[in-house]
Amino acid sequence: MDEKITEQIPTRAPYHSGEAHADSERPRFGLPRLVRVYFTQIAIGFGLSAAFVGLLLGFDVANLRSLMLSTQGGAIAGFLLFFFNGLVFAGVQFAITIMRMAEPTGRPPHSGLKAWTLSQRAQKIAIPVPIEEPHQPSAQADKNR
């Protein structure tokens, strides 16, 4: 009886929950593919931030280098400039990568297509609207005021 139970238990469970993927083996470094992509984009974003801050300080844009070197908190300001630009660049880099991962459908986006087809079918039609003569206030209403 114990032999049957051990045969039914898989020796290696798929790494991903849900559907079995074509490459259900445990990924390199023990991380899922999306997490590896995220870490890669973070590294690229902070690399771009380092280059950007380096160029800002190298060309002394808006006397930023002079200001950072002459004040007591210049190193903190430089680190914060690097860090927050790194967050922005990494976020944008990751967003672009995720959007480019979408499967191509081979047809134009349906939202723009619907708007185009509706505008092509719509025609301007003059609709007559009856206009009533303006109502004349009665003499009784004038006396009550």
Side-chain angles (χ1 to χ4, degrees), residues 5 12 27-29 31 41 47 61 73 95 116 125 127 130 137 140:
I5 292 175
R12 186 174 192 175
R28 179 176 48 153
F29 303 122
L31 296 174
Q41 301 312 313
V61 176
W116 183 80
I125 301 172
I127 300 174
Q140 183 69 20

Side-chain angles (χ1 to χ4, degrees), residues 101-124:
M101 290 173 82
E103 295 179 12
T105 59
R107 58 187 171 151
H110 59 275
S111 61
L113 184 62
K114 284 181 186 176
W116 183 80
T117 55
L118 288 177
S119 67
Q120 294 298 317
R121 281 191 248 157
Q123 297 177 1
K124 295 181 181 178

Side-chain angles (χ1 to χ4, degrees), residues 43-92:
I44 292 171
F46 276 94
L48 289 172
S49 175
F52 178 70
V53 172
L55 289 171
L56 277 178
L57 297 178
F59 288 114
D60 200 16
V61 176
N63 293 326
L64 191 60
R65 178 183 57 196
S66 306
L67 181 64
M68 286 176 58
L69 293 176
S70 64
T71 59
Q72 186 177 4
I76 295 172
F79 172 74
L80 290 177
L81 186 65
F82 162 74
F83 182 73
F84 288 120
N85 276 311
L87 288 179
V88 170
F89 291 161
V92 170

Side-chain angles (χ1 to χ4, degrees), residues 2-13:
D2 290 330
E3 293 173 8
K4 291 181 182 178
I5 292 175
T6 55
E7 290 175 7
Q8 293 175 358
I9 297 174
T11 57
R12 186 174 192 175

